Amino acid sequence: MIIGVTGGIASGKSTVARAFAALGIPWVDADDVAREIVEPGEPALAEIADHFGAAVITPDGRLDRRALREIVFADEAQRRRLEAITHPRVRERLTAHLARLEAQSAPYVLLVSPLLFESGQAALVDRCLVIDVPESVQIARTAARDDVDEAQARAIVAAQMPRPARLARADDVIDNAAGEDALARQVAELDRRYRDATDLPPAP
């Protein structure tokens, strides 16, 4: 069984994935794969450079993520163009990574992706687990973590799927605003249910 783990920016997806990993569950992170496909020499990086120009490439030939982020979060059409370049390549590589993980005979595996629903990656999973926190928490965490101002943090949050829409598509939800102990209890309970799949309500 493949569990898709998603949530808005700075909701704590990686923290939750590490908690499952401590229980022996392997995972693949779509953000890691998204970084892989724009490494120097990758076709996606060349296509990004062709479309967005030299301003998004560093002197050593790498992607300038901050410069690109400023462009795509200020212009939805540019963001859609970036997604058209990257999403199909990310999905292809995720499929390969998941196949290798499934071959390891773990009780289940995780696909951690901030764009699980938006990119169509939900089609790769059996259940969708949403990590949820209030938007105010997302904004504060994003500003502190990514060294951006509050306005840009709000723009990043606003560019993602609205929180109610994300929750409406969830099969399972973890509240990651209630503290470490509460998070550990929720992960342990879901791990038990995922291992005993007969205890799960059917996905919609």
Side-chain angles (χ1 to χ4, degrees):
M1 184 166 63
I2 301 174
I3 308 298
V5 179
T6 193
I9 188 169
S11 58
K13 296 177 292 296
S14 295
T15 299
V16 169
R18 287 191 292 270
F20 277 103
L23 300 174
I25 304 303
W27 56 294
V28 59
D29 191 324
D31 276 350
D32 291 341
V33 173
R35 284 187 283 271
E36 289 175 14
I37 67 159
V38 294
E39 285 292 307
E42 290 280 353
L45 182 61
E47 194 170 341
I48 288 169
D50 285 344
H51 179 78
F52 293 96
V56 301
I57 305 299
T58 65
D60 63 352
R62 294 186 172 275
L63 182 65
D64 186 332
R65 297 179 184 281
R66 178 182 286 271
L68 183 60
R69 183 171 58 202
E70 289 176 356
I71 293 171
V72 300
F73 284 112
D75 185 331
E76 185 174 353
Q78 294 284 47
R79 180 165 59 88
R80 296 296 182 194
R81 177 62 185 136
L82 177 63
E83 291 170 351
I85 294 170
T86 59
H87 283 185
R89 293 179 169 100
V90 169
R91 180 169 176 150
E92 180 180 7
R93 201 162 296 190
L94 280 175
T95 300
H97 283 316
L98 287 168
R100 285 194 289 272
L101 288 181
E102 289 182 288
Q104 296 176 11
S105 69
Y108 59 95
V109 301
L110 305 181
L111 165 56
V112 181
S113 174
L115 300 175
L116 186 75
F117 300 130
E118 298 94 322
S119 66
Q121 292 168 10
L124 301 175
V125 308
D126 301 296
R127 293 186 71 82
C128 298
L129 168 59
V130 168
I131 315 306
D132 185 54
V133 296
E135 285 189 3
S136 59
V137 174
Q138 288 182 264
I139 291 165
R141 288 179 181 175
T142 300
R145 185 191 69 185
D146 296 346
D147 190 27
V148 297
D149 60 27
E150 182 178 334
Q152 189 170 2
R154 288 185 179 278
I156 293 170
V157 171
Q160 297 186 329
M161 176 178 283
R163 183 185 180 197
R166 189 184 301 117
L167 288 169
R169 296 187 61 177
D171 299 308
D172 306 295
V173 177
I174 281 179
D175 175 4
N176 196 21
E180 292 182 9
D181 290 345
L183 175 61
R185 287 194 297 272
Q186 292 174 87
V187 169
E189 173 60 17
L190 282 173
D191 177 65
R192 183 193 66 76
R193 293 172 59 200
Y194 291 153
R195 289 173 187 267
D196 181 15
T198 58
D199 189 36
L200 291 170

